[in-house]
Amino acid sequence: MSSQDFLRRMPKTGYEFSRSYRIAQRFHIDFVLLFLLLGIATFGMIVLYSASSSSILALQKQGSFFAIAFCAMFVIAQVPVDFMRRAAPWMYALGVVLLLLVLVVGIGAKGAQRWLGVGGIRFQPSEIMKLAMPITIAAFLSRQYLPPRLLHIVITLALIAVPTALIIKQPDLGTAILVLVSGMVVLFYAGLQWWYIGAAVAIGGASLWPIWHYMMHDYQQKRVLMLFDPESDPLGAGWNIIQSKTAIGSGGIYGKGWLEGTQSRLDFLPEGHTDFIIAVMSEEFGLIGVILLILAYILVIARGMYIAINAQDNFGRLLAASISTTFFVYVFVNMGMVAGMLPVVGVPLPFISQGGTAIVALMSGFGILMAIATEPKRVMNPQK
């Protein structure tokens, strides 16, 4: 190509970039985030097809969830960030009321009461709290002078404790951890002083004994014990961890190939299409496949933190950082428990595990990130 041709193409390329930018701003779309999420979701459908024993029905169901989730993401991305800030108290109150209703009229399954039914549709109010919590804490702290004072820290902890306790009561320890984290990371990013963090760690350590004896159920205690010695009950509580480790190890570096995994397709691996789906993926795609997935997750988290850094005020910064960090915790906890490094707490692998409400809640969080990323520029308040 001659230099003249190159020069003739430059204005067109610049125009196309400018046009794409205007489209992104108008419809509040972050194309980098969108392409990453579409890539992970597509790969998740491929893995799920194998993990569900080539079930077309499971694939159609997951596809429907993704369609609803992406629609929710686009709709929420259109919501003004300032409206989210003003609506935060009402979202929090609605979430707490729904969690109370779960304890009274909730639908139970497998020994847990976590769902509400409306018109034949079941949903988990705790998933709503995953969004309501960081929005509420970010809205509250962004109105204060930062770093937060002791009174504001106490109020924040109270706001976090109420829904967390209600979710633990269901019981749903995995979701309770995520809701707790989504609120605590906002407090951390608000500039929490290190001696407060040290005091919290000390109090948490001192609370382990009473939590173990008076708050944890027998099956939860057994999950913790199986973390250290799963072979002590190889046909019972330790079965999942043993089989997941076997699947991960048998995949090697390159994997056995798609649809060729034995642990899942011969039903040795329980919950292979939900919480333990990465064991299926490891067996079929090997270490290379896992590394590529982790890289994709890292890019999503990095993009989220980039949006947080470039947000226009404290509310946007705190909220975007919380959503990005909570997403990291999702990935870390799931991979940790499947690899036998953390207790099994029932946290799905984002966009890979089969699920409904969880996928919609996650994608809604990324809709909030897009709203923050494409928020119209305004004159900054010097105090923000």
Side-chain angles (χ1 to χ4, degrees):
M1 181 174 58
S2 67
S3 59
Q4 288 82 2
D5 292 336
F6 177 75
L7 291 173
R8 278 197 298 269
R9 291 189 179 188
M10 282 186 65
K12 183 180 178 181
T13 303
Y15 171 76
E16 290 175 350
F17 176 80
S18 176
R19 186 167 177 266
S20 299
Y21 176 78
R22 289 198 301 271
I23 292 173
Q25 288 294 118
R26 181 178 179 182
F27 294 101
H28 300 278
I29 300 172
D30 186 278
F31 284 118
V32 175
L33 201 54
L34 177 61
F35 291 149
L36 287 170
L37 295 177
L38 283 171
I40 296 174
T42 302
F43 180 65
M45 295 283 284
I46 294 172
V47 176
L48 179 63
Y49 180 73
S50 178
S52 60
S53 300
S54 305
S55 170
I56 297 296
L57 181 61
L59 208 61
Q60 291 174 339
K61 191 175 181 180
Q62 187 80 337
S64 300
F65 289 146
F66 273 124
I68 295 170
F70 274 103
C71 288
M73 181 185 71
F74 285 123
V75 170
I76 291 176
Q78 313 310 310
V79 178
V81 176
D82 191 56
F83 177 82
M84 297 182 195
R85 184 190 350 245
R86 296 196 306 270
W90 301 104
M91 292 179 61
Y92 180 86
L94 175 63
V96 171
V97 169
L98 290 176
L99 289 175
L100 288 171
L101 286 175
V102 169
L103 298 180
V104 179
V105 296
I107 300 172
K110 296 182 180 181
Q113 190 166 312
R114 305 171 183 173
W115 295 269
L116 286 178
V118 179
I121 300 175
R122 294 198 318 173
F123 70 98
Q124 283 186 257
S126 56
E127 297 293 339
I128 298 175
M129 211 66 216
K130 289 178 183 177
L131 295 178
M133 177 65 77
I135 293 174
T136 302
I137 304 304
F140 172 70
L141 291 177
S142 64
R143 294 189 182 99
Q144 321 301 330
Y145 286 102
L146 301 180
R149 301 175 183 176
L150 180 59
L151 175 61
H152 301 144
I153 294 174
V154 172
I155 294 173
T156 300
L157 293 177
L159 290 171
I160 295 172
V162 172
T164 301
L166 291 174
I167 296 171
I168 291 175
K169 186 71 175 176
Q170 293 179 0
D172 188 353
L173 185 58
T175 302
I177 291 173
L178 293 172
V179 170
L180 175 67
V181 168
S182 69
M184 292 299 295
V185 293
V186 176
L187 187 59
F188 173 79
Y189 286 123
L192 193 64
Q193 296 177 3
W194 285 106
W195 75 269
Y196 282 125
I197 298 175
V201 171
I203 293 172
S207 302
L208 291 178
W209 189 87
I211 289 174
W212 177 268
H213 288 281
Y214 299 108
M215 295 182 63
M216 294 183 68
H217 296 269
D218 291 340
Y219 76 91
Q220 292 172 334
Q221 293 179 349
K222 200 162 190 177
R223 286 178 177 178
V224 175
L225 294 175
M226 288 301 102
L227 175 67
F228 302 103
D229 187 16
E231 285 76 15
S232 63
D233 189 8
L235 299 179
W239 175 266
N240 285 5
I241 296 177
I242 293 173
Q243 296 304 319
S244 67
K245 285 182 177 181
T246 302
I248 292 171
S250 64
I253 296 178
Y254 301 103
K256 297 178 178 178
W258 187 48
L259 303 178
E260 298 298 326
T262 55
Q263 294 298 111
S264 59
R265 300 189 73 82
L266 296 178
D267 292 329
F268 284 104
L269 185 64
E271 307 297 336
H273 61 294
T274 54
D275 295 347
F276 285 82
I277 196 168
I278 195 172
V280 177
M281 194 198 85
S282 299
E283 186 178 22
E284 296 186 355
F285 295 92
L287 179 63
I288 300 297
V290 174
I291 290 174
L292 291 175
L293 178 62
I294 292 175
L295 178 61
Y297 282 142
I298 290 173
L299 291 175
V300 169
I301 296 166
R303 185 62 181 176
M305 296 306 290
Y306 174 82
I307 292 171
I309 292 171
N310 290 278
Q312 298 192 49
D313 56 25
N314 281 340
F315 174 73
R317 282 189 286 271
L318 293 174
L319 182 54
S322 173
I323 292 172
S324 304
T325 306
T326 304
F327 183 75
F328 163 77
V329 173
Y330 257 104
V331 176
F332 178 79
V333 171
N334 178 271
M335 291 187 175
M337 73 179 191
V338 173
M341 299 168 60
L342 295 173
V344 178
V345 292
V347 174
L349 187 63
F351 308 126
I352 307 294
S353 298
Q354 186 180 51
T357 315
I359 291 176
V360 175
L362 273 169
M363 208 67 80
S364 298
F366 287 110
I368 295 174
L369 279 180
M370 290 188 179
I372 295 171
T374 58
E375 184 181 12
K377 301 298 180 183
R378 62 180 187 273
V379 178
M380 295 295 291
N381 186 334
Q383 294 184 353
K384 293 186 177 184

